[in-house]
Amino acid sequence: MSSTESPDSPAPGNHRWWALAVIATAQLMVVLDATIVNIALPSVQAELGLSDANRQWVVTAYALAFGGLLLLGGRISGAIGHRRAFVIGLAGFAVASALGGAAEGAGLLFTARAGQGVFAALLAPAALSLLTVTFVEARERSRAFGVFAAVGAGGSAVGMVAGGILTEHANWRWCLYVNIPIAAAALLGAFFLPRGTARPGLRSFDIPGVITSAAGLVALVYAFTLAEGRGWGDQVVLLLLTAGAALLGLFVLVESRISLPLLPLRIITHRIRGGALLTIGLTQVAMFGFYLFMTYYMQGVLRYSPVQAGVVFLLTAAGIAVGATGVAGTLLPRITPRLLIVAGLAITAAGMLILTRLTADTDNVFALYLLPAQLLIGLGLGCVMTPATSLATAQVSTTDAGIASAAYNAVQQLGGALGTALLNTLAASVAAAAIVAKGVSADSATVQGFSVALTVAAGVLLAAALIGWLVIGNDRPRTTTDLDKRELNTLPN
């Protein structure tokens, strides 16, 4: 086998666990930045003089660049080597964070946030790809993916805590500067990552695929973002939705006819991987609504400070850690992934249903509702994300690991954007109707809206469980390195 055909080789000995620490650190940074700035937005707006209409771009610029370029980032990772892509992504993310933290005006801040999204779109697929090729033995793989899933799923909660603490006790700029030491630590640990080689055969990029996929994903994510404020019937929202769907349809047509596609359709049409990706996307629809509503409820109704609200979310993060590394990491080698995913989704849905009992009356709300619900949701989510993440990247060649990892991240981004917009619109509509029809207080109406939206979120989770049961199947997929190496290097790209 020539050097240009060699896939990334697993890290030797105990280096694997150091590699996991490095990969998890990078994953935490990427997930952290999706939420850490949210709590700081009022401070950012006041200092930089942002208008109400423009302040959303602090969040949206990151989401659009990240979501729109993920597939391209995954293919670049496969072409230049996952370790090299990982290092470039880390360094670029740190530089963009430094520029954003030093920004004295809206233009530079928005550009820096978009830059963070660009490098995150390279870093995230590279990180998951490195994890996939580093851990190949079933028991070790379960534990490693449990840690990765816990970091990814719990990072949003950690971001809220960190954002609140940094904004309250330091300055909003540290919500961006904090990425610099994190990236530096991960860069120093890159020595432990498996060494890979570039694959020149992948450097002829599918330009039509890049354009149609990026434009389609950006259009959909932006439509979901606008729908939250403008409503689903807005002409611009409908135009973006139509354009996004059409562009992604064209993307699929292009990929089915080109010899070297950006996204080989076998990645998503494979029954087990496709089922896992669909399950992950639906789970994110429900979870992003949960984080949004609980943030508003705790700060708007319970009058918690941002730091107090963030600390409550740490209960969810703790549940995720137990579910992902304790329960899933232990059971996954012994039972089929389908059983774990379905059980986890049912547990998460049960936690959501507890929250539908919330009222504007704040007496004993923490002990009766928030504590059990947060723990159940975290536990269930941890049990879902560990096997689902592993299945989403199972049985692919090393070459395809990057693009499979990108598809995993893309469905998370789309699911989260859709869930935030769809469930928030529903909650707002119910709250407005309650005020008009029943004459209730603003807090009571808000809680009624949240209750209905969380009921729908629980239904989405149960639908995901049904899909997982029917589609994923009861067999165990082979991992990447279970495939014969000769088969790996002859798989079409």
Side-chain angles (χ1 to χ4, degrees):
M1 186 184 301
S2 68
S3 63
T4 58
E5 294 175 321
S6 299
D8 298 82
S9 55
N14 291 331
H15 282 190
R16 290 192 301 277
W17 300 106
W18 284 107
L20 173 61
V22 173
I23 293 167
T25 299
Q27 174 70 0
L28 175 63
M29 185 178 69
V30 171
V31 176
L32 205 67
D33 262 67
T35 58
I36 193 171
V37 177
N38 293 23
I39 289 179
L41 271 181
S43 298
V44 177
Q45 183 177 8
E47 183 172 333
L48 299 186
L50 305 182
S51 67
D52 289 344
N54 285 338
R55 68 182 178 186
Q56 64 161 326
W57 285 103
V58 178
V59 176
T60 304
Y62 180 79
L64 291 182
F66 186 23
L69 296 176
L70 270 167
L71 294 181
L72 176 60
R75 183 51 80 190
I76 291 175
S77 179
I80 68 175
H82 302 310
R83 174 172 159 163
R84 184 177 300 169
F86 183 86
V87 169
I88 293 172
L90 275 175
F93 200 98
V95 171
S97 298
L99 291 174
E104 295 297 335
L108 181 57
L109 178 59
F110 297 159
T111 301
R113 287 289 286 167
Q116 285 182 309
V118 169
F119 286 105
L122 179 62
L123 177 59
L128 183 52
S129 299
L130 287 167
L131 189 73
T132 300
V133 301
T134 300
F135 292 91
V136 296
E137 189 272 325
R139 188 174 298 276
E140 287 189 350
R141 184 179 175 88
S142 299
R143 292 173 180 170
F145 272 82
V147 172
F148 185 85
V151 169
S156 296
V158 175
M160 292 176 184
V161 178
I165 292 174
L166 290 171
T167 302
E168 192 170 316
H169 298 290
N171 183 282
W172 67 264
R173 297 178 184 277
W174 281 98
C175 293
L176 296 169
Y177 286 147
V178 72
N179 294 316
I180 299 172
I182 296 175
L187 283 170
L188 289 174
F191 167 80
F192 297 107
L193 299 175
R195 297 180 181 275
T197 54
R199 300 178 67 90
L202 290 177
R203 291 181 178 173
S204 298
F205 288 112
D206 165 20
I207 301 301
V210 170
I211 294 172
T212 53
S213 66
L217 289 171
V218 165
L220 287 183
V221 172
Y222 192 36
F224 298 153
T225 302
L226 288 181
E228 187 176 348
R230 297 190 178 198
W232 292 95
D234 180 80
Q235 289 186 349
V236 175
V237 172
L238 292 175
L239 179 62
L240 286 168
L241 288 173
T242 303
L247 285 166
L248 290 184
L250 181 59
F251 170 68
V252 172
L253 180 63
V254 169
E255 300 308 276
S256 67
R257 298 189 176 187
I258 197 169
S259 59
L260 292 173
L262 175 67
L263 174 63
L265 295 183
R266 64 176 179 273
I267 297 294
I268 56 176
T269 57
H270 184 278
R271 177 175 57 83
I272 294 175
R273 277 197 303 276
L277 290 172
L278 185 55
T279 299
I280 290 167
L282 290 174
T283 301
Q284 295 307 309
V285 169
M287 287 306 302
F288 270 66
F290 157 74
Y291 282 121
L292 177 70
F293 298 147
M294 288 301 97
T295 299
Y296 284 155
Y297 178 75
M298 287 187 286
Q299 294 187 51
V301 178
L302 300 184
R303 306 296 188 259
Y304 285 4
S305 70
V307 174
Q308 288 175 316
V311 169
V312 174
F313 276 124
L314 287 181
L315 293 171
T316 307
I320 290 169
V322 172
T325 60
V327 179
T330 301
L331 294 181
L332 193 53
R334 303 175 185 176
I335 66 174
T336 60
R338 180 176 74 168
L339 289 176
L340 202 52
I341 289 172
V342 171
L345 287 167
I347 293 170
T348 307
M352 292 281 188
L353 290 174
I354 290 175
L355 293 176
T356 64
R357 308 297 299 172
L358 290 171
T359 67
D361 183 359
T362 60
D363 292 342
N364 299 318
V365 69
F366 177 79
L368 290 177
Y369 303 113
L370 293 182
L371 176 62
Q374 298 270 357
L375 291 175
L376 280 176
I377 289 171
L379 179 65
L381 188 61
C383 290
V384 172
M385 295 307 292
T386 297
T389 303
S390 182
L391 290 180
T393 55
Q395 207 169 333
V396 295
S397 69
T398 305
T399 300
D400 283 343
I403 197 64
S405 301
Y408 161 85
N409 282 281
V411 298
Q412 284 194 308
Q413 288 295 305
L414 286 175
L418 174 60
T420 301
L422 183 63
L423 295 178
N424 192 50
T425 302
L426 176 62
S429 299
V430 172
I435 291 175
V436 172
K438 303 176 183 178
V440 298
S441 67
D443 281 353
S444 294
T446 297
V447 174
Q448 286 183 37
F450 291 169
S451 178
V452 172
L454 288 170
T455 302
V456 172
V460 170
L461 291 169
L462 294 176
L466 178 61
I467 291 171
W469 182 264
L470 295 175
V471 177
I472 292 176
N474 214 31
D475 51 338
R476 294 179 180 275
R478 294 175 292 170
T479 62
T480 299
T481 51
D482 287 332
L483 299 172
D484 183 82
K485 289 188 181 296
R486 182 177 303 170
E487 179 185 355
L488 283 178
N489 291 311
T490 57
L491 281 172
N493 294 307

